[in-house]
Amino acid sequence: MAEIRTVAVIGAGTMGRGIAHVAALGGYRTVLEDVLPAALRKAQDEIRGNLDKAVELKKVSASDATAALDRIEYAGSPEEAAREADLVIEAVPEEMESKIEIFTLLDKVCRPGTILASNTSSLSVTEIASVTYRPKKCVGMHFFNPVHKMKLLEIVRALETDEETISAAAEVGGRMGKE
């Protein structure tokens, strides 16, 4: 199984910034993307605020919070965010057209072994994966809101998802503190 070192998160809304927060806290180099600069600024402020609160409540050490913040990078395009990623988690609005557009683009710009995950809660991961040349490397990783507090992670197998991809998603989820 390929080692996951870099996680890209596409979409810096509520779910995307929460996923970036737990990915960085889990020790991953994390690239959070949004095409709207204001969304990235808001995400950066909220992640910092949530980590500061976790330190205050003694749920996270100050050094772990600082290290997590240092692991997060910001990108203004999916191409820039995903190019070097080992795992890309899409967290755009819950519209099939948007998710298909993102997965089509990611399939073109990511390395062949990169895992593509969707944070969808209700759409078909099989349908989303079908627009790629890597359906075996596509999976659903449905996080629950607020991501930095909720322990549950739903891993959704698409029709062609292979065992290695399921195992990698579970391992990443574990490092993020998810069950």
Side-chain angles (χ1 to χ4, degrees), residues 96-118:
M96 184 59 83
E97 298 78 20
S98 298
K99 293 184 183 292
I100 284 176
E101 184 179 326
I102 292 292
F103 266 64
T104 301
L105 175 64
L106 293 173
D107 195 44
K108 291 175 185 169
V109 301
C110 292
R111 297 180 310 232
T114 299
I115 295 170
L116 304 182
S118 176

PDB file of all heavy atoms in Angstrom, residues 96-118:
ATOM      1  N   MET A  96     -24.103  16.784  -7.817  1.00  0.00           N
ATOM      2  CA  MET A  96     -23.412  15.790  -8.635  1.00  0.00           C
ATOM      3  C   MET A  96     -22.582  16.443  -9.741  1.00  0.00           C
ATOM      4  O   MET A  96     -21.444  16.040  -9.982  1.00  0.00           O
ATOM      5  CB  MET A  96     -24.416  14.801  -9.239  1.00  0.00           C
ATOM      6  CG  MET A  96     -23.765  13.684 -10.035  1.00  0.00           C
ATOM      7  SD  MET A  96     -22.599  12.655  -9.078  1.00  0.00           S
ATOM      8  CE  MET A  96     -23.735  11.533  -8.290  1.00  0.00           C
ATOM      9  N   GLU A  97     -23.115  17.470 -10.393  1.00  0.00           N
ATOM     10  CA  GLU A  97     -22.386  18.113 -11.492  1.00  0.00           C
ATOM     11  C   GLU A  97     -21.048  18.673 -11.020  1.00  0.00           C
ATOM     12  O   GLU A  97     -20.029  18.535 -11.704  1.00  0.00           O
ATOM     13  CB  GLU A  97     -23.232  19.230 -12.131  1.00  0.00           C
ATOM     14  CG  GLU A  97     -24.522  18.755 -12.768  1.00  0.00           C
ATOM     15  CD  GLU A  97     -25.649  18.477 -11.760  1.00  0.00           C
ATOM     16  OE1 GLU A  97     -25.600  18.985 -10.610  1.00  0.00           O
ATOM     17  OE2 GLU A  97     -26.572  17.722 -12.113  1.00  0.00           O
ATOM     18  N   SER A  98     -21.047  19.310  -9.859  1.00  0.00           N
ATOM     19  CA  SER A  98     -19.809  19.883  -9.314  1.00  0.00           C
ATOM     20  C   SER A  98     -18.803  18.798  -8.978  1.00  0.00           C
ATOM     21  O   SER A  98     -17.611  18.919  -9.268  1.00  0.00           O
ATOM     22  CB  SER A  98     -20.099  20.693  -8.050  1.00  0.00           C
ATOM     23  OG  SER A  98     -20.950  21.761  -8.336  1.00  0.00           O
ATOM     24  N   LYS A  99     -19.271  17.730  -8.372  1.00  0.00           N
ATOM     25  CA  LYS A  99     -18.374  16.651  -7.968  1.00  0.00           C
ATOM     26  C   LYS A  99     -17.785  15.948  -9.195  1.00  0.00           C
ATOM     27  O   LYS A  99     -16.590  15.638  -9.217  1.00  0.00           O
ATOM     28  CB  LYS A  99     -19.101  15.683  -7.038  1.00  0.00           C
ATOM     29  CG  LYS A  99     -19.427  16.372  -5.702  1.00  0.00           C
ATOM     30  CD  LYS A  99     -20.053  15.465  -4.708  1.00  0.00           C
ATOM     31  CE  LYS A  99     -20.437  16.190  -3.431  1.00  0.00           C
ATOM     32  NZ  LYS A  99     -19.345  16.672  -2.614  1.00  0.00           N
ATOM     33  N   ILE A 100     -18.597  15.735 -10.212  1.00  0.00           N
ATOM     34  CA  ILE A 100     -18.104  15.115 -11.445  1.00  0.00           C
ATOM     35  C   ILE A 100     -17.081  16.020 -12.121  1.00  0.00           C
ATOM     36  O   ILE A 100     -16.042  15.548 -12.604  1.00  0.00           O
ATOM     37  CB  ILE A 100     -19.284  14.754 -12.375  1.00  0.00           C
ATOM     38  CG1 ILE A 100     -19.969  13.501 -11.824  1.00  0.00           C
ATOM     39  CG2 ILE A 100     -18.827  14.563 -13.816  1.00  0.00           C
ATOM     40  CD1 ILE A 100     -21.206  13.073 -12.578  1.00  0.00           C
ATOM     41  N   GLU A 101     -17.337  17.307 -12.151  1.00  0.00           N
ATOM     42  CA  GLU A 101     -16.390  18.257 -12.746  1.00  0.00           C
ATOM     43  C   GLU A 101     -15.041  18.207 -12.010  1.00  0.00           C
ATOM     44  O   GLU A 101     -13.983  18.156 -12.635  1.00  0.00           O
ATOM     45  CB  GLU A 101     -16.984  19.667 -12.689  1.00  0.00           C
ATOM     46  CG  GLU A 101     -16.127  20.720 -13.360  1.00  0.00           C
ATOM     47  CD  GLU A 101     -16.770  22.100 -13.294  1.00  0.00           C
ATOM     48  OE1 GLU A 101     -18.016  22.196 -13.348  1.00  0.00           O
ATOM     49  OE2 GLU A 101     -16.013  23.075 -13.180  1.00  0.00           O
ATOM     50  N   ILE A 102     -15.084  18.196 -10.688  1.00  0.00           N
ATOM     51  CA  ILE A 102     -13.855  18.147  -9.883  1.00  0.00           C
ATOM     52  C   ILE A 102     -13.116  16.826 -10.105  1.00  0.00           C
ATOM     53  O   ILE A 102     -11.902  16.808 -10.310  1.00  0.00           O
ATOM     54  CB  ILE A 102     -14.170  18.339  -8.377  1.00  0.00           C
ATOM     55  CG1 ILE A 102     -14.660  19.758  -8.103  1.00  0.00           C
ATOM     56  CG2 ILE A 102     -12.971  17.994  -7.500  1.00  0.00           C
ATOM     57  CD1 ILE A 102     -13.632  20.846  -8.275  1.00  0.00           C
ATOM     58  N   PHE A 103     -13.824  15.703 -10.066  1.00  0.00           N
ATOM     59  CA  PHE A 103     -13.170  14.403 -10.242  1.00  0.00           C
ATOM     60  C   PHE A 103     -12.567  14.260 -11.637  1.00  0.00           C
ATOM     61  O   PHE A 103     -11.494  13.679 -11.797  1.00  0.00           O
ATOM     62  CB  PHE A 103     -14.142  13.250  -9.937  1.00  0.00           C
ATOM     63  CG  PHE A 103     -14.054  12.770  -8.517  1.00  0.00           C
ATOM     64  CD1 PHE A 103     -14.388  13.598  -7.462  1.00  0.00           C
ATOM     65  CD2 PHE A 103     -13.618  11.488  -8.225  1.00  0.00           C
ATOM     66  CE1 PHE A 103     -14.301  13.177  -6.149  1.00  0.00           C
ATOM     67  CE2 PHE A 103     -13.522  11.042  -6.908  1.00  0.00           C
ATOM     68  CZ  PHE A 103     -13.863  11.889  -5.865  1.00  0.00           C
ATOM     69  N   THR A 104     -13.236  14.796 -12.654  1.00  0.00           N
ATOM     70  CA  THR A 104     -12.691  14.758 -14.018  1.00  0.00           C
ATOM     71  C   THR A 104     -11.376  15.525 -14.069  1.00  0.00           C
ATOM     72  O   THR A 104     -10.381  15.041 -14.633  1.00  0.00           O
ATOM     73  CB  THR A 104     -13.708  15.352 -15.018  1.00  0.00           C
ATOM     74  OG1 THR A 104     -14.922  14.581 -14.946  1.00  0.00           O
ATOM     75  CG2 THR A 104     -13.170  15.326 -16.436  1.00  0.00           C
ATOM     76  N   LEU A 105     -11.356  16.701 -13.471  1.00  0.00           N
ATOM     77  CA  LEU A 105     -10.135  17.508 -13.432  1.00  0.00           C
ATOM     78  C   LEU A 105      -9.041  16.822 -12.620  1.00  0.00           C
ATOM     79  O   LEU A 105      -7.887  16.725 -13.061  1.00  0.00           O
ATOM     80  CB  LEU A 105     -10.442  18.887 -12.840  1.00  0.00           C
ATOM     81  CG  LEU A 105      -9.244  19.807 -12.627  1.00  0.00           C
ATOM     82  CD1 LEU A 105      -8.605  20.164 -13.967  1.00  0.00           C
ATOM     83  CD2 LEU A 105      -9.667  21.056 -11.888  1.00  0.00           C
ATOM     84  N   LEU A 106      -9.385  16.325 -11.431  1.00  0.00           N
ATOM     85  CA  LEU A 106      -8.398  15.677 -10.574  1.00  0.00           C
ATOM     86  C   LEU A 106      -7.781  14.461 -11.257  1.00  0.00           C
ATOM     87  O   LEU A 106      -6.582  14.209 -11.137  1.00  0.00           O
ATOM     88  CB  LEU A 106      -9.024  15.262  -9.244  1.00  0.00           C
ATOM     89  CG  LEU A 106      -9.454  16.408  -8.321  1.00  0.00           C
ATOM     90  CD1 LEU A 106     -10.207  15.861  -7.123  1.00  0.00           C
ATOM     91  CD2 LEU A 106      -8.256  17.245  -7.891  1.00  0.00           C
ATOM     92  N   ASP A 107      -8.588  13.712 -11.986  1.00  0.00           N
ATOM     93  CA  ASP A 107      -8.092  12.529 -12.687  1.00  0.00           C
ATOM     94  C   ASP A 107      -7.000  12.899 -13.685  1.00  0.00           C
ATOM     95  O   ASP A 107      -6.062  12.138 -13.896  1.00  0.00           O
ATOM     96  CB  ASP A 107      -9.257  11.824 -13.387  1.00  0.00           C
ATOM     97  CG  ASP A 107      -8.917  10.419 -13.833  1.00  0.00           C
ATOM     98  OD1 ASP A 107      -8.292   9.670 -13.049  1.00  0.00           O
ATOM     99  OD2 ASP A 107      -9.287  10.059 -14.964  1.00  0.00           O
ATOM    100  N   LYS A 108      -7.110  14.084 -14.262  1.00  0.00           N
ATOM    101  CA  LYS A 108      -6.118  14.544 -15.253  1.00  0.00           C
ATOM    102  C   LYS A 108      -4.838  15.048 -14.602  1.00  0.00           C
ATOM    103  O   LYS A 108      -3.752  14.850 -15.135  1.00  0.00           O
ATOM    104  CB  LYS A 108      -6.711  15.662 -16.120  1.00  0.00           C
ATOM    105  CG  LYS A 108      -7.794  15.196 -17.041  1.00  0.00           C
ATOM    106  CD  LYS A 108      -8.410  16.364 -17.783  1.00  0.00           C
ATOM    107  CE  LYS A 108      -9.593  15.885 -18.610  1.00  0.00           C
ATOM    108  NZ  LYS A 108     -10.371  17.003 -19.143  1.00  0.00           N
ATOM    109  N   VAL A 109      -4.944  15.737 -13.451  1.00  0.00           N
ATOM    110  CA  VAL A 109      -3.768  16.404 -12.879  1.00  0.00           C
ATOM    111  C   VAL A 109      -3.032  15.585 -11.822  1.00  0.00           C
ATOM    112  O   VAL A 109      -1.863  15.849 -11.544  1.00  0.00           O
ATOM    113  CB  VAL A 109      -4.111  17.803 -12.300  1.00  0.00           C
ATOM    114  CG1 VAL A 109      -4.678  18.702 -13.370  1.00  0.00           C
ATOM    115  CG2 VAL A 109      -5.028  17.727 -11.105  1.00  0.00           C
ATOM    116  N   CYS A 110      -3.689  14.602 -11.244  1.00  0.00           N
ATOM    117  CA  CYS A 110      -3.048  13.813 -10.183  1.00  0.00           C
ATOM    118  C   CYS A 110      -2.214  12.676 -10.768  1.00  0.00           C
ATOM    119  O   CYS A 110      -2.485  12.186 -11.859  1.00  0.00           O
ATOM    120  CB  CYS A 110      -4.111  13.216  -9.251  1.00  0.00           C
ATOM    121  SG  CYS A 110      -4.988  14.443  -8.269  1.00  0.00           S
ATOM    122  N   ARG A 111      -1.214  12.263  -9.980  1.00  0.00           N
ATOM    123  CA  ARG A 111      -0.411  11.097 -10.370  1.00  0.00           C
ATOM    124  C   ARG A 111      -1.315   9.872 -10.417  1.00  0.00           C
ATOM    125  O   ARG A 111      -2.340   9.820  -9.721  1.00  0.00           O
ATOM    126  CB  ARG A 111       0.720  10.894  -9.369  1.00  0.00           C
ATOM    127  CG  ARG A 111       1.705  12.050  -9.340  1.00  0.00           C
ATOM    128  CD  ARG A 111       2.798  11.798  -8.322  1.00  0.00           C
ATOM    129  NE  ARG A 111       2.213  11.426  -7.042  1.00  0.00           N
ATOM    130  CZ  ARG A 111       2.482  11.986  -5.887  1.00  0.00           C
ATOM    131  NH1 ARG A 111       3.365  12.938  -5.806  1.00  0.00           N
ATOM    132  NH2 ARG A 111       1.897  11.592  -4.775  1.00  0.00           N
ATOM    133  N   PRO A 112      -0.935   8.834 -11.167  1.00  0.00           N
ATOM    134  CA  PRO A 112      -1.796   7.652 -11.320  1.00  0.00           C
ATOM    135  C   PRO A 112      -2.177   6.961 -10.005  1.00  0.00           C
ATOM    136  O   PRO A 112      -3.289   6.461  -9.881  1.00  0.00           O
ATOM    137  CB  PRO A 112      -0.970   6.713 -12.202  1.00  0.00           C
ATOM    138  CG  PRO A 112      -0.059   7.615 -12.954  1.00  0.00           C
ATOM    139  CD  PRO A 112       0.240   8.766 -12.029  1.00  0.00           C
ATOM    140  N   GLY A 113      -1.318   6.941  -9.011  1.00  0.00           N
ATOM    141  CA  GLY A 113      -1.608   6.248  -7.759  1.00  0.00           C
ATOM    142  C   GLY A 113      -2.380   7.057  -6.746  1.00  0.00           C
ATOM    143  O   GLY A 113      -2.751   6.545  -5.683  1.00  0.00           O
ATOM    144  N   THR A 114      -2.648   8.312  -7.047  1.00  0.00           N
ATOM    145  CA  THR A 114      -3.351   9.180  -6.095  1.00  0.00           C
ATOM    146  C   THR A 114      -4.775   8.692  -5.870  1.00  0.00           C
ATOM    147  O   THR A 114      -5.492   8.382  -6.816  1.00  0.00           O
ATOM    148  CB  THR A 114      -3.368  10.635  -6.606  1.00  0.00           C
ATOM    149  OG1 THR A 114      -2.027  11.099  -6.745  1.00  0.00           O
ATOM    150  CG2 THR A 114      -4.116  11.557  -5.650  1.00  0.00           C
ATOM    151  N   ILE A 115      -5.170   8.634  -4.607  1.00  0.00           N
ATOM    152  CA  ILE A 115      -6.535   8.250  -4.238  1.00  0.00           C
ATOM    153  C   ILE A 115      -7.414   9.495  -4.285  1.00  0.00           C
ATOM    154  O   ILE A 115      -7.041  10.550  -3.761  1.00  0.00           O
ATOM    155  CB  ILE A 115      -6.566   7.614  -2.836  1.00  0.00           C
ATOM    156  CG1 ILE A 115      -5.782   6.303  -2.840  1.00  0.00           C
ATOM    157  CG2 ILE A 115      -8.000   7.408  -2.355  1.00  0.00           C
ATOM    158  CD1 ILE A 115      -5.548   5.716  -1.458  1.00  0.00           C
ATOM    159  N   LEU A 116      -8.593   9.353  -4.886  1.00  0.00           N
ATOM    160  CA  LEU A 116      -9.566  10.439  -4.949  1.00  0.00           C
ATOM    161  C   LEU A 116     -10.744  10.071  -4.055  1.00  0.00           C
ATOM    162  O   LEU A 116     -11.349   9.011  -4.226  1.00  0.00           O
ATOM    163  CB  LEU A 116     -10.051  10.654  -6.387  1.00  0.00           C
ATOM    164  CG  LEU A 116      -8.972  10.921  -7.440  1.00  0.00           C
ATOM    165  CD1 LEU A 116      -9.611  11.151  -8.808  1.00  0.00           C
ATOM    166  CD2 LEU A 116      -8.095  12.101  -7.049  1.00  0.00           C
ATOM    167  N   ALA A 117     -11.047  10.943  -3.100  1.00  0.00           N
ATOM    168  CA  ALA A 117     -12.141  10.697  -2.161  1.00  0.00           C
ATOM    169  C   ALA A 117     -13.163  11.817  -2.246  1.00  0.00           C
ATOM    170  O   ALA A 117     -12.814  12.976  -2.464  1.00  0.00           O
ATOM    171  CB  ALA A 117     -11.599  10.590  -0.737  1.00  0.00           C
ATOM    172  N   SER A 118     -14.420  11.467  -2.048  1.00  0.00           N
ATOM    173  CA  SER A 118     -15.480  12.461  -1.979  1.00  0.00           C
ATOM    174  C   SER A 118     -16.060  12.465  -0.573  1.00  0.00           C
ATOM    175  O   SER A 118     -16.253  11.413   0.029  1.00  0.00           O
ATOM    176  CB  SER A 118     -16.595  12.128  -2.980  1.00  0.00           C
ATOM    177  OG  SER A 118     -17.660  13.064  -2.833  1.00  0.00           O
TER     178      SER A 118
END
